[in-house]
Amino acid sequence: MSQHIFRTIPSVNKLLESPELSPLTGMYPRQLIVDTVREVLENIRQAFTGKTDVPQPDRIQLPFSDISHFQKEAKGAEDLTQLQTVDISPQRICQLVRVSLQQKLCGIEHAINATGIILHTGLGRAPLTDKAAKQLEHTLKSYCTLEIERFTGRRGSRYHSIEQLICMITGAESAFVVNNNAAAVLLTLDTVAKNKEVIVSRSQLVEIGGSFRMPDVMTRSGALLVEVGTTNKTYLSDYSNAITEHTGLILKVHQSNFKIVGFTESVDIKDLVSLGQTRTIPIAYDLGSGALIDLQKFGLPHEPTVQEAIKAGVDIVTFSTDKLLGGPQGGIIAGKKKWVDLLKKNPLTRALRVGKLTIAALEATLRLYLEEDLALQEIPTLKIILAPLGVVEERGKRLRDIIHQETKISLSSSLIDGVSEMGGGTLPGETVPTKLVSLHSEKIPAEELATQLRGNTPPIFARIEQGRVLLDMRTVYDTEVDTIATALEKISSGFIRNKSADYADKEDK
Ligand SMILES: *Cc1c(COP(=O)(O)O)cnc(C)c1O
């Protein structure tokens, strides 16, 4: 039986010369195409012999639905008439080859964020400003003045301009930048509190994004954690009672991705600073999000700003540069010269060093903050958060109207109210009102529709609620509305379905 099927599988050469695959030779390296064709054919053969359960770590994985599709047909193919229904046509195989090639070479690419999560770690957190993007393009295609003093020709510091900007913007005496905020916290603990006790409130032993747990970072750095207070209440006396001759640091961690509500008590940073000064113990404040503009004046809840922390006299403030700040990934350490200079001398800084990409983009972003209005006008994260609902609604109406008017789109849609989330460990539990384009199709279930949207180029990420696909118009750019409409057109005509990596036959469902 299987012999018969094997004979019907087209040969590698025949496939390579087929009109479906020959155009790919300009797009992918030839050897990669040949190898992929072989792999796909081998997978098909294995599916027929029922060996696909054997783990094949070095072999590409076909989309699961495809394998089960083949397997089912192979198992059910009891007689020859059924065998002829097995789809191993060159077209079908070429389609699998194309999907597999795409999967092998797909990397970071432009995506449309219709999830409404403004700082979406999966989608790269803060989108960069035009200025930062231009800076990357202009400066980095050539040699650049990364670590050289232009006027003397002497070796300089790559951190110089970032430090100056941070000090100008926040009033800090000194500043430094590392790979991310996790690195900033690690460097702080390693420098100031190695083999010493660090006092932290129990309510602040947070986990951020799965792999960053405050207690684990402390252990790594060799600091000894001293927990004080309870989950909901910590008093100044809890801190002062915990101070011993071994205390190296008092650390406050901003509860950036959760909220404790109800019967709560926490110690103001100013009181901690006074305590630290009286007992000569440095105070570090992990701010997480690193707001440089107080968003309270725009009706948003208060998120502690870096300026406030510096003004309060905190010795070491750490924050991310790709959250509210709106820059590339990075972590800034700002504060008192005495402490920041000590951090700079730690040999670990070499391992946590940022590259010229980060420096170029961060410099361009920070420069905007020298004039608050400019930052508000130009930084995408801030613009997205502060966009008036009317603007979001207009964008939504435009998409809805195209969907209604375009006869090639066979989906029903409506514009509904909803909320966008900050995400990325910023303003926990706080939402911003938004407008959502709700999509519904008689033929395509919501999950499948969302999958097909992701299969578009560029991929479109949406959310699903109560059987509807929702496109949050706050995080969608104006220029992306037409792209979404075109994608919906392609989905309606079945075009993306056939290209999709998640291709699945109806009866597989
Ligand atoms: C986000 C966050 C971190 C981690 O920052 P990264 O830049 O992602 O490394 C650490 N601490 C707090 C409080 C955070 O909110």
Side-chain angles (χ1 to χ4, degrees), residues 165 243 409 437:
L165 284 164
I243 295 175
I409 301 179
V437 173

Side-chain angles (χ1 to χ4, degrees), residues 121 125 179-185 206 208-209 212 214 253-257 286-289 318-323 329-331 424-426:
T121 302
R125 286 200 188 156
N179 245 318
N180 53 25
N181 187 27
V185 174
V206 298
I208 289 130
F212 182 85
M214 241 338 143
V253 184
H254 179 48
Q255 296 167 343
S256 57
N257 55 2
D286 175 16
L287 272 180
S289 184
T318 61
F319 53 98
S320 295
T321 56
D322 57 351
K323 290 186 181 172
Q329 180 190 304
T426 305

Side-chain angles (χ1 to χ4, degrees), residues 30 41 71 98 127 144 167 192 261 339 350 375 410 435 485:
R30 188 177 155 81
L41 292 182
Q71 248 178 343
R98 248 185 284 128
C144 63
C167 293
V192 181
V261 291
W339 294 107
R350 185 62 176 78
S410 56
K435 293 284 173 180

Side-chain angles (χ1 to χ4, degrees), residues 42-289:
E42 183 53 29
N43 265 329
I44 292 172
R45 282 194 200 98
Q46 298 220 355
F48 279 119
T49 47
K51 281 191 198 144
T52 42
D53 290 336
V54 179
Q56 308 163 21
D58 56 346
R59 207 160 271 146
I60 57 120
Q61 293 288 307
L62 280 180
F64 176 74
S65 53
D66 280 309
I67 293 194
S68 55
H69 179 67
F70 281 122
Q71 248 178 343
K72 190 155 64 165
E73 297 207 28
K75 285 206 186 101
E78 298 292 295
D79 60 49
L80 281 180
T81 45
Q82 263 178 299
L83 278 179
Q84 265 129 36
T85 68
V86 177
D87 184 6
I88 46 172
S89 63
Q91 290 79 5
R92 173 81 174 122
I93 293 174
C94 291
Q95 183 198 326
L96 292 173
V97 170
R98 248 185 284 128
V99 168
S100 168
L101 279 168
Q102 271 172 6
Q103 283 180 346
K104 280 182 185 178
L105 290 186
C106 89
I108 187 167
E109 58 183 319
H110 165 57
I112 295 180
N113 178 5
T115 64
I117 298 167
I118 297 167
L119 291 164
H120 192 301
T121 302
L123 296 175
R125 286 200 188 156
L128 289 182
T129 64
D130 285 339
K131 291 241 161 55
K134 280 208 191 86
Q135 172 83 326
L136 287 175
E137 155 127 34
H138 289 321
T139 313
L140 299 183
K141 270 160 89 177
S142 56
Y143 293 101
C144 63
T145 53
L146 178 66
E147 265 189 17
I148 201 156
E149 277 179 18
R150 162 177 192 180
F151 296 106
T152 59
R154 285 202 207 104
R155 180 79 179 256
S157 155
R158 65 174 61 205
Y159 307 104
H160 178 71
S161 69
I162 303 272
E163 167 159 20
Q164 273 192 323
L165 284 164
I166 287 291
C167 293
M168 279 191 267
I169 298 163
T170 67
E173 289 173 12
S174 184
F176 191 63
V177 57
V178 286
N179 245 318
N180 53 25
N181 187 27
V185 174
L186 179 70
L187 183 65
T188 303
L189 293 170
D190 185 88
T191 313
V192 181
K194 198 171 196 127
N195 302 324
K196 290 188 194 150
E197 293 174 355
V198 178
I199 304 176
V200 190
S201 159
R202 277 212 170 81
S203 64
Q204 295 167 7
L205 291 170
V206 298
E207 169 178 309
I208 289 130
S211 52
F212 182 85
R213 287 183 150 194
M214 241 338 143
D216 297 344
V217 177
M218 294 214 172
T219 314
R220 273 276 134 210
S221 68
L224 309 167
L225 172 64
V226 177
E227 299 174 39
V228 296
T230 60
T231 306
N232 58 335
K233 289 201 173 202
T234 306
Y235 302 95
L236 190 62
S237 55
D238 293 325
Y239 286 97
S240 56
N241 291 340
I243 295 175
T244 68
E245 60 194 293
H246 307 296
T247 306
L249 183 74
I250 295 177
L251 173 68
K252 183 174 168 86
V253 184
H254 179 48
Q255 296 167 343
S256 57
N257 55 2
F258 70 106
K259 233 182 180 170
I260 295 182
V261 291
F263 194 53
T264 65
E265 184 78 42
S266 66
V267 178
D268 194 273
I269 189 68
K270 287 192 195 116
D271 296 331
L272 277 186
V273 169
S274 312
L275 177 68
Q277 280 165 357
T278 339
R279 310 285 292 266
T280 53
I281 288 168
I283 307 290
Y285 191 0
D286 175 16
L287 272 180
S289 184

Side-chain angles (χ1 to χ4, degrees), residues 477-502:
Y477 285 33
D478 274 329
T479 49
E480 293 169 340
V481 170
D482 290 332
T483 316
I484 296 178
T486 311
L488 294 174
E489 211 177 284
K490 284 193 235 161
I491 289 171
S492 298
S493 63
F495 182 71
I496 293 188
R497 177 168 187 272
N498 292 334
K499 264 180 66 188
S500 157
D502 296 271

Side-chain angles (χ1 to χ4, degrees), residues 227-408:
E227 299 174 39
V228 296
T230 60
T231 306
N232 58 335
K233 289 201 173 202
T234 306
Y235 302 95
L236 190 62
S237 55
D238 293 325
Y239 286 97
S240 56
N241 291 340
I243 295 175
T244 68
E245 60 194 293
H246 307 296
T247 306
L249 183 74
I250 295 177
L251 173 68
K252 183 174 168 86
V253 184
H254 179 48
Q255 296 167 343
S256 57
N257 55 2
F258 70 106
K259 233 182 180 170
I260 295 182
V261 291
F263 194 53
T264 65
E265 184 78 42
S266 66
V267 178
D268 194 273
I269 189 68
K270 287 192 195 116
D271 296 331
L272 277 186
V273 169
S274 312
L275 177 68
Q277 280 165 357
T278 339
R279 310 285 292 266
T280 53
I281 288 168
I283 307 290
Y285 191 0
D286 175 16
L287 272 180
S289 184
L292 292 175
I293 294 178
D294 184 3
L295 295 177
Q296 209 172 9
K297 59 186 168 209
F298 304 105
L300 282 148
H302 181 252
E303 171 88 9
T305 64
V306 180
Q307 290 90 329
E308 281 165 26
I310 296 291
K311 198 158 165 239
V314 176
D315 296 287
I316 303 163
V317 183
T318 61
F319 53 98
S320 295
T321 56
D322 57 351
K323 290 186 181 172
L324 266 182
L325 194 148
Q329 180 190 304
I332 287 179
I333 299 154
K336 298 272 168 66
K337 190 163 170 26
K338 173 184 162 195
W339 294 107
V340 179
D341 283 355
L342 203 62
L343 261 63
K344 286 179 185 170
K345 291 195 198 106
N346 187 327
L348 256 188
T349 54
R350 185 62 176 78
L352 308 176
R353 179 166 97 167
V354 287
K356 58 186 177 179
L357 293 168
T358 305
I359 298 207
L362 188 54
E363 245 179 56
T365 310
L366 287 174
R367 251 182 234 136
L368 296 169
Y369 279 98
L370 293 174
E371 265 181 85
E372 193 174 298
D373 285 345
L374 211 54
L376 292 169
Q377 276 164 32
E378 302 236 1
I379 293 179
T381 317
L382 299 174
K383 285 201 295 186
I384 292 167
I385 294 170
L386 298 174
L389 191 58
V391 170
V392 180
E393 182 166 17
E394 274 314 305
R395 198 178 293 146
K397 277 187 183 155
R398 196 150 68 79
L399 180 58
R400 181 201 57 193
D401 292 348
I402 302 176
I403 298 171
H404 284 178
Q405 284 153 19
E406 180 51 74
T407 50
K408 288 187 219 137

